[in-house]
Amino acid sequence: RRKIRLLLIVTGLIIIIAGSVIGFIQRVNVREKTLGRDFNLIGKLEADFIGGSLNDVAENIRLETQEVLYIEALGQANLSYSGVDQHAIERDFFVKDKEWVTGGASSPFIETYLNTKASNMLKKYSYENKYIKEIFITDALGGIVAASNKRSDFYQADESWWKSAFNNGKGMEII
């Protein structure tokens, strides 16, 4: 009788333990599936929100760049190349780029680009829009015209993003 009781107790404990382990594993699996599904849904909602926010920012930038002040500054910069030899333009970019990289934000050369009316409007626009940390305008050859802050270099036409955005003079949005 003792052996039978002991056998029944051990068998009962094994069944209880096995049932508990199986129940635990099932709860973990259900929790993982539920959390995975919820995280997936949250990720999709966040992506939609961010995508919508970026589209709003892009539309605001489109409207902002229609400001006459920007168009005039860009027109003046592009006109400055009229009748100038290509080699002279390249030398000028080389000199400006070197001075830009080595100069501080308060150097007179850099201030001519960062303290214009157009640059001040870009600074204000960047400050008022939490998604924009930096915004700048380049001319048709890739030189800085106006900027919200100092970029790493003056000449942008050697950057792959600039080539894509310039799109052989047709222009293209790059976000």
Side-chain angles (χ1 to χ4, degrees):
R1 284 186 142 165
R2 276 188 146 175
K3 288 182 181 181
I4 293 176
R5 268 191 215 166
L6 185 61
L7 183 63
L8 288 175
I9 291 172
V10 169
T11 304
L13 285 174
I14 290 173
I15 291 172
I16 290 171
I17 291 170
S20 296
V21 168
I22 290 170
F24 176 76
I25 291 171
Q26 286 178 336
R27 283 192 303 273
V28 167
N29 287 338
V30 167
R31 187 174 297 145
E32 284 178 358
K33 287 178 184 176
T34 302
L35 286 174
R37 186 183 65 236
D38 290 348
F39 280 132
N40 191 22
L41 177 62
I42 290 168
K44 287 179 181 176
L45 291 171
E46 285 294 318
D48 289 345
F49 174 76
I50 290 169
S53 295
L54 288 176
N55 286 334
D56 291 346
V57 168
E59 181 59 27
N60 287 339
I61 290 172
R62 271 186 229 103
L63 294 172
E64 179 73 16
T65 57
Q66 298 306 310
E67 285 286 333
V68 173
L69 189 62
Y70 299 135
I71 295 169
E72 287 175 354
L74 190 55
Q76 286 176 342
N78 288 334
L79 275 175
S80 71
Y81 302 119
S82 181
V84 179
D85 172 278
Q86 182 64 31
H87 293 293
I89 293 171
E90 289 172 6
R91 281 191 308 274
D92 186 52
F93 275 138
F94 178 78
V95 169
K96 286 180 177 179
D97 205 45
K98 186 175 180 182
E99 191 169 347
W100 187 276
V101 170
T102 59
S106 62
S107 83
F109 168 70
I110 293 172
E111 282 188 352
T112 63
Y113 294 93
L114 296 183
N115 290 329
T116 65
K117 288 180 182 178
S119 289
N120 290 334
M121 284 181 64
L122 291 175
K123 288 175 194 172
K124 181 177 184 257
Y125 185 75
S126 175
Y127 178 78
E128 292 171 350
N129 292 275
K130 65 181 178 179
Y131 295 110
I132 299 175
K133 300 298 175 210
E134 174 182 66
I135 187 167
F136 57 96
I137 300 171
T138 67
D139 58 35
L141 298 182
I144 296 285
V145 173
S148 60
N149 49 22
K150 185 180 182 245
R151 302 248 331 127
S152 59
D153 57 353
F154 178 84
Y155 184 64
Q156 302 298 308
D158 58 351
E159 308 284 343
S160 62
W161 67 262
W162 189 91
K163 292 173 185 173
S164 296
F166 185 66
N167 194 22
N168 294 318
K170 298 175 196 160
M172 178 188 299
E173 288 182 5
I174 305 288
I175 295 178

